[in-house]
Amino acid sequence: MKAPDPHPVLHSLRQRAERRRLVSESLPPDASPEVQRLVQELQVHQIELEMQNEELLLAQTEAEASRLQYVDLYDFAPVGYCTLAPTGTISQLNLHTSHLLGQERQRLRGRRLALFVVPAERDQFAEFMGRMWASPGRRQSCELTMRRADETTFFAQFEGVAAPEGADESLPPSSCRLVLLDVTARRQATEALTTSEARFRATFEQARDGMVLLKDQQVVDLNTAALHLLGYPDKSQVLGRSLAEFWPEQQPNGRRSQEVLTQCLSTAQERGWCRLEWLRYSPAGEEIWDELSFNPVQIHGRALLHMAWRDITARKQSEQRLSESESRLQLALAGAGAGVWGWELDSQLLYQDARAQEIFEMAPEGTSVVSFGRLQQAIHPDDRARVENALAQARHTREVFDLEHRLLLPDGRVHYVANVGRFSYDDASGQALRLTGLVRDITARCAAEEELHYKNRLLSNVLQNMPVLLARIGPDGRYREHVGQALRRLGLADNELVGQVATEVFPAVAPYLARLLAGHSENYQVSLLRKGQQVTMQCFGFYDAERQEVVVFALDITDSELFKEQATRLQLRQQQELLSAILTTQEEERRRIAEALHNGVGQLLYGTRLHLDGLPPSEAVRASKDLLNEAIRATRTISFELTPSILEDFGLAVALQELVGRIPSSLTVDLSLRGLEQPLPPLLATAVYRIVQELLNNVMKHAYAREVVVQVAQEDGQVYFSVEDDGVGFDAEPSASRAGIGLAGIRTRVGLLGGTLSSQSRPGQGTSFFLQVPVPTGG
């Protein structure tokens, strides 16, 4: 509705006022002043009336514009407005009310509003209307469920007041004005909130995890599970206390528990959620790990923090075990030199860890993802078909892919790798998704195996063509393997003795086998006799603890032993012939010197004594005779020592007794002889006599001994003799400064005789010599 324009009317009023002014000015000049004054007053009064009329017109125009604006606001308001008669019928309503009730405005006028209230709440509506009529001018409100014309419902909030028809408030109300607000969304939100709070409370109380409500870090409420975690029987012991009181002052990382809690709660307020893991201790001192999650909540209009509390000790322990297991796995992978790789079938990409990259050598350093086709190209051309077949079979049968093959690297090198893996499948479709596997570089192992194969071929050739054998014997002493060309000399084929007891077949190996089975290594020589055939073997054996068996390598040295024996006999014979020649020469020279002393020097000394006997007695003659007698005795002793004729005439035993008898009385000699009834070969007897004579001379010259023990015995084809004194002793190293033939000469003579010499001496503890010489067969 368009408001009237007041401007043309005002313009017309001004034109009329201007004409009247002209009329007053046109009065006759002879008009009395009274007339002129009256006309002028009438004109002023007329102008005032017209101006008042003008103001009324303006006010009317503004009022009409306001009315029209009110009508627009009333009709098009976003809330419902309606007026009810005392009978409850709708007398006036706006468009939003008709929209809420679902009918046109014209059809709603005159209808009772209560008809649009659901039957169950009409009494409540009637009560609401009663309150309004009973309290005019007082605002009343209620919420009701309304049903539209199309039977759909909505929630409406009524705000209303009863008022009289006119301005006189003393009159009874003739109508009531209502405001209808659609609060369906708010009502649904309130119901949802109520349901949510109920559900939250049920969850809070019945949750298996601990639930706590906090206000400024103080415990406001908690459920039974939280009480159980804290170890308290009643809520009253916990409510109002600070949460940090129930944890130790410091956490394992050194931070104060209060500081950690404050920071986490602040984060929860800012971001809506925060989580932390805390450590506490049970009364028994055991570690307990807790997981705390915080989020802000509104409970009955109060801003609180909700805390979910879970004991994660078992999970922590599992994580620690998993971490330790992963560490062990990494150590195992590192120890095995294995790399981890994965093949994604949909993207055809190959994922590699650092070790796999080192083995495959297909990608630049730091690149862990490459096309699977690059690996296929790197496989050695001779192995590609075998690898593809193995992959296809593993994918089809869902078994483990396990294959060793070669890689041809870009620089031409060939690496051997061992790949093992398994395909993963989609549960729904059954299609293979990926292959995850391990790879190891076995180049060194393959090279070692090839080297081992080569050495095995060499060993096989050696066993087949050389006089050697290889035997393996179990803990029960039975042969497990027995091969080699050396068996042919015993008339045996390879492994002919498998299952037989070694000591029953060859009794001579019994002592050596016993030591080998005891875990010792043994290097020995043994003669084996089978069917009249004797074979000498040089053996080396050891016990293989891993395989629980004795391994023996043997070399047939029968021919070499024969040659060695013959050479030894020849050498011994030559040594004995040389010794015989030397000793014969020495003895002949000693005899010649003895005869010269006896027949030459001795006769001159006797002639000189006879001459002295013819001189007159005097002191000088007597002194000369004494010196001459001493010289004669010394000559006889030297002559005897040079050629002890008693050795040739009466044998070694009598000669040694005579030798001991000539020792000065200042040295006690204990002589022990045994087994010398059988005469020794002259050469040996002379050698033994000379050696004992030299050793006794050394004792008298160097040992400063009081007693010496001499033992000579013949038994089992050997002559054993020793000389032991209690003298000053000496350094046992040979000395070239010894008188006579010395120790070096004695060692040489004993060696030529095929014997042995050993000595024991320490300064201040005497000296002992022990000798053993074989008695030649055949005299």
Side-chain angles (χ1 to χ4, degrees), residues 370-401:
V370 297
S371 168
F372 185 72
R374 296 192 61 180
L375 177 59
Q376 292 176 308
Q377 294 174 0
I379 297 173
H380 196 283
D382 296 341
D383 294 346
R384 283 177 189 165
R386 187 163 56 91
V387 173
E388 291 175 358
N389 291 335
L391 284 172
Q393 182 177 3
R395 184 173 178 177
H396 176 70
T397 62
R398 301 197 174 194
E399 295 179 350
V400 174
F401 168 71

Side-chain angles (χ1 to χ4, degrees), residues 326-355:
E326 289 179 350
S327 298
R328 288 193 295 270
L329 174 61
Q330 292 301 322
L331 287 174
L333 290 174
V340 181
W341 58 274
W343 172 28
E344 294 291 338
L345 274 68
D346 57 346
S347 62
Q348 289 295 306
L349 294 178
L350 179 71
Y351 295 85
Q352 319 161 73
D353 68 357
R355 178 56 183 156

Side-chain angles (χ1 to χ4, degrees), residues 627-645:
L627 291 173
L628 188 57
N629 290 333
E630 182 64 28
I632 291 172
R633 282 194 299 274
T635 302
R636 289 178 178 175
T637 300
I638 294 172
S639 178
F640 176 79
E641 291 178 353
L642 287 172
T643 56
S645 58

Side-chain angles (χ1 to χ4, degrees), residues 516-536:
L516 291 171
L517 289 171
H520 301 284
S521 297
E522 194 77 10
N523 195 341
Y524 60 93
Q525 182 176 311
V526 65
S527 294
L528 305 179
L529 181 63
R530 180 175 174 83
K531 297 180 180 180
Q533 180 68 37
Q534 181 169 337
V535 178
T536 302

Side-chain angles (χ1 to χ4, degrees), residues 716-736:
D716 299 331
Q718 301 284 331
V719 176
Y720 303 92
F721 55 106
S722 63
V723 177
E724 302 174 75
D725 65 67
D726 61 355
V728 297
F730 66 94
D731 188 355
E733 291 297 324
S735 177

